[in-house]
Amino acid sequence: MQILKSDGKGIEAAVEELKKGNVVAIPTETVYGLAANALDGEAVKKIFLAKGRPQDNPLIIHISQTEDLKKYAIPNEIAYKLAEKFWPGPLTMILPKLDCIPTEVSAGLDTVAVRMPNHPVARELIKKSGVPLAAPSANISGKPSPTSAEHVIDDFSENPYVSAVIDGGKCQCGVESTVLSLCGEEPCLLRPGFITADMLKEVIPNLKIAEAVLKELPNNEKALSPGLKHKHYAPSARTVCIKGLCENAAEYVKNDGKDKKTVICFAGEEEKFPRCKIIPYGRSNDFEELAENLFDALRKADKIENEKIYVRIPEINDELVNGILLAVYNRLLRAASFTVIDCDKAVNGLVLGITGQSGAGKGTVCKVLENKGFIHIDTDKIWHEIIDFSAPALEEIFGKITDENGKVDRKILGEKAFSSEENLKMLNSVAHKAIMAKVSEIMDENRSRGLFNFAIDGAALFEAGAKDICDFIITVTADRKSRLERVKIRDGIDDLRAEMRFAGQKSEDFYTENADFTILNDDLTALPQKIQHILAKISKK
Ligand code: TXA
Ligand code: MG
């Protein structure tokens, strides 16, 4: 990939490439675009190959003068009004298309997205090449959009489908253009951008905002804009948005039991998240600044080795929805797969670890807590659900433990693992890491839905490190005979196997000594009251 300057010579060289049917990354005022001749289906195909873009996601064509609009689309009066007010600039309009636009561009739709960028280099390029340029954001599909030539180079330097990038410095807006459909009964905002709903409403007071802008689409719902349904802007590590007061956000992050954390925070909060990598992206009340730096911050975070990335997100309300904050919010929601945690509430939530020996009745205690509104997370069940993903790591330790279908044979694994303390330790080292990652994911999904109380149950809570994320540990005890009977019935095993399992476990003392509270499970009917008693004590603490 050539790196070209944004001077006359650079533009000349880029035009040559475009004329040859090649792909060139170009600066625009929003983000960098991966451009090709929009009238040449073969050239456009290279864009899809370069990005790994799903075939059903159409491209925007870029023109340099409003007169060209009618050459490629069927504009109505509103389109011209909007063009007059907002072009050149970060507004894309969806209109019925003319036949000269190849299906590669429109991804088979009978509409086309058109925009006239405001960046001098982009406009010069379009003019000089004499054709409209199809250009999506110049990032690998699913990754944050590029706002500098370095970002483009990071993604495409070795990519055979991209011939060159013109280095035009940092993009001014930082988020992609506003996408507006003029094809329905009423104009509809499909993607918020720098041209805000408030600004558009001055020309089109009947503007609608597509539901998918702020909500996750159910899988079966047809997206108005295909781009809305694909995963977007996401770093590789799990990413969550965190809102609320800074001290509560800090508390939530601190208690989250992860080792490698990165916080994309507001300017001024840099000192508040100890033992985290910090990337400030702007002042909490300067939404333009946040928009400008957002993708750069996500990309910086992605270069760090992370277990989890936390992004501070401003509060949004009915008024702010019509401003530039909507664009920031929309991108962050997608980067975090719609996980937003209200830390002001999360810090008041209660995370209980329920532990004890096999058969003591942890599950029963959790049932009672469930009836009191707690979310029950059963770590043993989780392990059963995710065990097959850990098969390669387990086979490295124990040799062959999978059946003919590649699934872990639980019996064989159990026999090998419980045969010695050393083996059990090795099994646990693999299992605990996988379990805790999943637990944290489940908790965040629930918190994102407004549920903040959890009862996490598992024999191995301490070893797995769950106590780091629990506010209190409750140990459940029961006499050996009842435990043995329960395990035999529950797991369908004989005396010998049940005894073997007990032999590999920690003593009752271990569990009680490490707990904040102990419940003796000797009378089912008394259990709810015993639990209520503990909850009352906790609320006084
Ligand atoms: O600011 C921008 O718009 C940048 C720069 C390079 O111009 N381009 C950009 O393109 O962001 P891209 O492909 O990353 O996003 C285009 C969005 C996608 O969500 C796509 O689904 C939608 O516009 N789109 C394109 N054509 C459409 C159509 N005919 N109907 C509905 N949505 C369309
Ligand atoms: Mg894009």
Side-chain angles (χ1 to χ4, degrees):
M1 188 174 81
Q2 303 175 63
I3 299 168
L4 304 170
K5 284 206 186 121
S6 60
D7 56 9
K9 246 172 95 183
I11 291 176
E12 203 77 3
V15 168
E16 278 313 302
E17 291 299 329
L18 290 167
K19 283 190 172 158
K20 278 192 263 175
N22 289 334
V23 172
V24 179
I26 64 167
T28 83
E29 75 277 26
T30 55
V31 301
Y32 275 70
L34 211 50
N37 176 356
L39 304 180
D40 176 352
E42 290 307 310
V44 171
K45 272 186 194 156
K46 291 184 191 166
I47 297 177
F48 281 85
L49 290 169
K51 285 188 59 129
R53 182 173 174 108
Q55 299 275 340
D56 64 350
N57 196 2
L59 305 180
I60 297 172
I61 69 164
H62 298 69
I63 59 176
S64 63
Q65 46 184 19
T66 307
E67 296 93 276
D68 290 346
L69 185 54
K70 59 179 185 300
K71 291 190 197 163
Y72 313 113
I74 307 173
N76 51 18
E77 204 186 321
I78 294 174
Y80 280 118
K81 267 194 198 159
L82 290 164
E84 188 174 317
K85 190 156 168 107
F86 299 112
W87 278 4
L91 174 67
T92 296
M93 292 189 260
I94 315 252
L95 293 162
K97 86 176 187 77
L98 290 178
D99 287 343
C100 61
I101 296 298
T103 53
E104 284 84 359
V105 169
S106 59
L109 300 176
D110 47 17
T111 56
V112 63
V114 191
R115 118 167 165 91
M116 181 158 111
N118 184 17
H119 195 288
V121 174
R123 293 179 65 197
E124 187 75 8
L125 264 169
I126 302 164
K127 247 188 243 160
K128 290 231 158 100
S129 53
V131 289
L133 296 180
S137 51
N139 51 278
I140 295 291
S141 209
K143 290 280 153 200
S145 294
T147 54
S148 71
E150 287 77 52
H151 294 164
V152 178
I153 294 165
D154 278 347
D155 281 13
F156 294 107
S157 63
E158 304 293 324
N159 194 298
Y161 299 105
V162 183
S163 301
V165 56
I166 301 183
D167 188 346
K170 215 177 144 195
C171 299
Q172 215 186 343
C173 304
V175 287
E176 308 87 337
S177 61
T178 304
V179 177
L180 175 72
S181 170
L182 295 176
C183 294
E185 267 171 33
E186 281 172 324
C188 183
L189 182 73
L190 301 183
R191 181 177 71 183
F194 227 73
I195 307 288
T196 64
D198 269 338
M199 292 156 81
L200 290 170
K201 278 179 182 168
E202 284 177 28
V203 183
I204 36 173
N206 57 339
L207 176 74
K208 292 270 165 304
I209 298 180
E211 222 181 311
V213 166
L214 284 176
K215 272 203 199 116
E216 194 166 13
L217 275 181
N219 279 337
N220 51 7
E221 203 165 294
K222 196 165 169 276
L224 284 176
S225 180
L228 291 174
K229 77 178 179 203
H230 296 294
K231 192 171 161 108
H232 257 108
Y233 315 123
S236 344
R238 211 158 69 74
T239 303
V240 298
C241 295
I242 50 176
K243 64 176 188 176
L245 294 174
C246 179
E247 60 255 39
N248 290 335
E251 183 75 9
Y252 160 79
V253 172
K254 189 184 92 193
N255 293 336
D256 201 31
K258 291 270 179 298
D259 290 328
K260 295 168 190 148
K261 318 183 202 192
T262 292
V263 182
I264 298 176
C265 68
F266 298 133
E269 296 183 343
E270 293 86 344
E271 308 295 320
K272 301 287 163 78
F273 298 91
R275 288 195 301 282
C276 298
K277 295 259 163 49
I278 297 295
I279 303 169
Y281 76 117
R283 285 159 293 180
S284 61
N285 57 358
D286 187 338
F287 306 139
E288 290 191 8
E289 190 176 39
L290 296 177
E292 188 186 329
N293 299 319
L294 174 70
F295 288 134
D296 184 54
L298 287 170
R299 282 180 169 263
K300 276 189 183 134
D302 207 16
K303 285 196 168 172
I304 300 170
E305 198 198 330
N306 292 304
E307 276 183 67
K308 194 163 166 185
I309 298 170
Y310 307 80
V311 190
R312 292 284 281 134
I313 190 169
E315 278 307 329
I316 195 159
N317 58 32
D318 289 350
E319 204 177 307
L320 292 173
V321 146
N322 292 310
I324 178 74
L325 180 58
L326 186 64
V328 174
Y329 218 89
N330 165 273
R331 305 311 190 272
L332 286 181
L333 284 182
R334 279 164 178 75
S337 305
F338 292 88
T339 312
V340 182
I341 292 161
D342 184 341
C343 296
D344 294 347
K345 293 189 176 143
V347 291
N348 293 320
L350 196 53
V351 185
L352 299 179
I354 312 299
T355 191
Q357 293 174 297
S358 276
K362 300 183 284 288
T364 317
V365 168
C366 288
K367 274 265 141 32
V368 175
L369 286 166
E370 252 179 325
N371 288 336
K372 295 182 183 297
F374 281 72
I375 301 293
H376 176 198
I377 303 178
D378 181 343
T379 56
D380 295 333
K381 197 165 133 215
I382 287 178
W383 177 233
H384 280 287
E385 283 163 8
I386 63 175
I387 191 167
D388 292 324
F389 297 111
S390 300
L394 293 171
E395 294 209 314
E396 239 172 66
I397 303 171
F398 297 114
K400 185 133 183 78
I401 46 136
T402 49
D403 61 18
E404 61 272 21
N405 304 318
K407 301 246 181 270
V408 171
D409 186 317
R410 317 279 159 98
K411 262 210 172 115
I412 298 179
L413 177 65
E415 270 157 26
K416 290 195 175 176
F418 284 104
S419 67
S420 76
E421 210 161 310
E422 192 52 33
N423 278 0
L424 190 59
K425 238 189 215 154
M426 287 197 285
L427 169 68
N428 286 341
S429 70
V430 174
H432 293 163
K433 211 174 157 52
I435 293 170
M436 288 317 296
K438 190 71 194 171
V439 167
S440 152
E441 208 179 305
I442 295 172
M443 287 173 74
D444 282 347
E445 274 166 15
N446 279 290
R447 283 171 169 151
S448 190
R449 273 189 239 123
L451 301 165
F452 299 101
N453 290 337
F454 301 92
I456 308 173
D457 122 42
L461 270 189
F462 299 110
E463 297 96 315
K467 68 173 193 310
D468 297 341
I469 60 170
C470 294
D471 300 310
F472 298 97
I473 301 279
I474 300 176
T475 285
V476 188
T477 62
D479 67 84
R480 188 181 168 88
K481 201 164 147 262
S482 342
R483 290 197 293 112
L484 199 70
E485 284 313 310
R486 277 195 211 120
V487 168
K488 276 163 59 187
I489 295 168
R490 188 188 64 195
D491 299 348
I493 53 177
D494 56 19
D495 274 300
L496 185 70
R497 282 222 165 70
E499 290 287 359
M500 249 170 81
R501 194 169 299 181
F502 281 11
Q505 284 198 342
K506 298 259 192 286
S507 68
E508 187 176 285
D509 285 350
F510 169 83
Y511 288 107
T512 50
E513 278 160 19
N514 280 291
D516 300 290
F517 302 97
T518 298
I519 294 180
L520 175 62
N521 179 20
D522 57 352
D523 175 3
L524 270 186
T525 54
L527 212 49
Q529 216 179 359
K530 287 182 185 177
I531 290 167
Q532 190 53 45
H533 190 65
I534 290 175
L535 291 178
K537 270 194 188 162
I538 285 174
S539 73
K540 272 193 210 131
K541 281 199 176 179

